[in-house]
Amino acid sequence: MSVLTFGLMFIAAFSNQAQAQNSAVPFAFLETKTFHSSVLHVASLAKGMSAFNDAPEGKDFNSKAVRDFQSRFQKAENVIWHSDQDGFMSYFTKNGFVNRVYYDRKGNWQFSLILYSEDQLPVNLRHTVKVRNIGFAIILIEEVQSNDGMVYIVHLENKSNIRILRLSKDAEMEILQEITKA
């Protein structure tokens, strides 16, 4: 299974769960129409279609957003920019994962969703997750950064279950979803 497919599966699972839980995390793709649009842009990234490079040009893009992106994500690759009525989105790869960042129409950063593997989670948090979830392997980390702070969405798996946790940087943990495998 490719990293893109894996990431899209978890994004879809999380978006459905977050709607049910009325999550306060500001995901632009929770609405079905926006979510499908996001998937199309991520899919084009996987195919190597980059409509715009690191610095898109034209009246549709806000230079403030581009400058902020370049300072936040210096090692981003395969950058694709997209605009809609709400603002600007950039999809990019880093460490083999597809990531995204959202800006409003004025170019102000709104939030980022950064994916990575277990070894990139801070050691103290990784230890806490493993101690409290014995028998589960950490499959994927989603770092959600917003103006309200940062949380981690941790995807765990064992032989019979998939567990998705919300983890604060203070190691406060909440189970968002528990799925029994068929």
Side-chain angles (χ1 to χ4, degrees):
M1 177 183 317
S2 75
V3 172
L4 175 64
T5 303
F6 185 74
L8 288 175
M9 282 181 6
F10 279 108
I11 290 168
F14 181 72
S15 72
N16 290 336
Q17 182 282 324
Q19 285 177 325
Q21 299 259 337
N22 195 17
S23 175
V25 179
F27 286 104
F29 53 77
L30 287 180
E31 296 175 20
T32 304
K33 182 179 177 185
T34 309
F35 174 74
H36 291 298
S37 173
S38 295
V39 170
L40 288 174
H41 294 291
V42 172
S44 68
L45 176 62
K47 293 177 185 174
M49 300 168 64
S50 59
F52 301 98
N53 289 331
D54 289 355
E57 299 198 14
K59 63 182 180 181
D60 293 337
F61 289 91
N62 185 297
S63 61
K64 180 178 178 182
V66 173
R67 282 191 309 273
D68 181 82
F69 176 86
Q70 289 172 333
S71 69
R72 283 180 197 268
F73 305 106
Q74 295 173 1
K75 295 184 181 183
E77 299 174 341
N78 303 316
V79 179
I80 295 175
W81 283 91
H82 171 71
S83 68
D84 63 18
Q85 68 277 4
D86 298 322
F88 308 95
M89 294 159 267
S90 179
Y91 300 88
F92 59 97
T93 57
K94 188 172 179 183
N95 299 322
F97 290 102
V98 177
N99 302 281
R100 50 214 149 285
V101 60
Y102 296 82
Y103 295 91
D104 66 15
R105 293 300 300 165
K106 294 181 180 179
N108 297 310
W109 174 81
Q110 298 297 296
F111 65 95
S112 305
L113 181 61
I114 310 299
L115 305 177
Y116 46 82
S117 57
E118 172 184 348
D119 61 333
Q120 293 170 295
L121 186 66
V123 174
N124 63 323
L125 296 178
R126 184 171 57 218
H127 175 74
T128 300
V129 169
K130 287 186 168 266
V131 166
R132 293 186 190 168
N133 296 278
I134 295 174
F136 281 86
I138 297 174
I139 304 301
L140 180 72
I141 310 295
E142 295 176 85
E143 181 181 295
V144 181
Q145 303 171 1
S146 73
N147 290 324
D148 296 329
M150 179 175 59
V151 298
Y152 300 96
I153 306 301
V154 181
H155 301 265
L156 304 157
E157 184 175 18
N158 66 15
K159 284 184 176 184
S160 56
N161 296 298
I162 296 171
R163 183 177 289 168
I164 302 173
L165 308 172
R166 180 187 332 244
L167 177 67
S168 75
K169 33 183 203 179
D170 299 325
E172 294 176 23
M173 212 177 305
E174 171 189 6
I175 296 176
L176 296 175
Q177 190 170 28
E178 184 96 33
I179 303 167
T180 302
K181 294 180 182 179

